[in-house]
Amino acid sequence: MLVQVLMGIIGLSSGFVVAGGVIALVIGLGIVTRYVGITHTGEHLWLYEDIILLGGIFGVLLTVYNIHVPFGAAGLALLGIGAGIYVGGWILALAEIVNIFPIMARRIGLVKGMSLVIIFMAAGKILGSLLHFYMRW
C-alpha cells in the first residue's frame, strides 16, 4: 500500500513538472498572446486560459483512462480541426521563432507570393492528413 501511494505521489509530481514545462514553452513562444493579438480578443484572455486548462485535463482523461466519447463523425471532425489548429499554431510559432520563412524566401529568391506558399503548405498538410487517415497508413 505504501509503495502505491509513493508511486502515485511520484507520478503526480512528474505530471506537474511536465505540464509546467509545456506551459512555460507555450508562454515562452508567445502562442497565446499571438492568438489574442491576431484576433483582437484581449478582454477574453481568461477564457483562453480556461480552455487551455480544460483541454489539457480532457486530453489526459481520454488518454490515461481510455474513455469512450460517443460524439460520432461530427465530434471526430471537430476534434480533428481543433488538433490541426493546435499543431499548426505550434509549427508556426516555432517557425517564427527561428525566422524560417524570411530565410527560406531569401535563399530561394522568392520576392512575391509568400502568402501562397503558406496556403499551399497548409493545404499539403491537410491533404496528407486526409490521405493518412483515409488509407489507414
Side-chain angles (χ1 to χ4, degrees), residues 60-137:
V60 166
L61 291 176
L62 286 178
T63 55
V64 171
Y65 295 109
N66 214 5
I67 297 172
H68 175 70
V69 182
F71 287 147
L76 182 61
L78 285 174
L79 179 67
I81 290 169
I85 290 170
Y86 177 78
V87 170
W90 272 97
I91 290 170
L92 288 176
L94 287 170
E96 191 173 302
I97 292 294
V98 298
N99 292 325
I100 189 110
F101 293 119
I103 293 170
M104 180 189 70
R106 197 171 335 126
R107 293 258 171 110
I108 64 173
L110 184 65
V111 179
K112 293 183 180 179
M114 186 54 119
S115 60
L116 285 175
V117 170
I118 294 173
I119 289 170
F120 281 115
M121 286 172 49
K125 177 79 172 147
I126 291 169
L127 182 63
S129 296
L130 290 174
L131 281 173
H132 172 80
F133 290 115
Y134 181 74
M135 303 298 276
R136 298 180 190 260
W137 291 336

Side-chain angles (χ1 to χ4, degrees), residues 7-92:
M7 293 298 287
I9 291 171
I10 291 171
L12 187 63
S13 301
S14 300
F16 282 138
V17 168
V18 170
V22 170
I23 294 300
L25 186 61
V26 167
I27 298 301
L29 289 176
I31 294 174
V32 175
T33 54
R34 186 87 168 133
Y35 282 150
V36 169
I38 289 171
T39 59
H40 306 293
T41 54
E43 65 273 1
H44 300 294
L45 184 60
W46 59 271
L47 185 61
Y48 282 94
E49 294 170 354
D50 290 344
I51 289 173
I52 290 170
L53 177 67
L54 290 175
I57 291 170
F58 188 65
V60 166
L61 291 176
L62 286 178
T63 55
V64 171
Y65 295 109
N66 214 5
I67 297 172
H68 175 70
V69 182
F71 287 147
L76 182 61
L78 285 174
L79 179 67
I81 290 169
I85 290 170
Y86 177 78
V87 170
W90 272 97
I91 290 170
L92 288 176

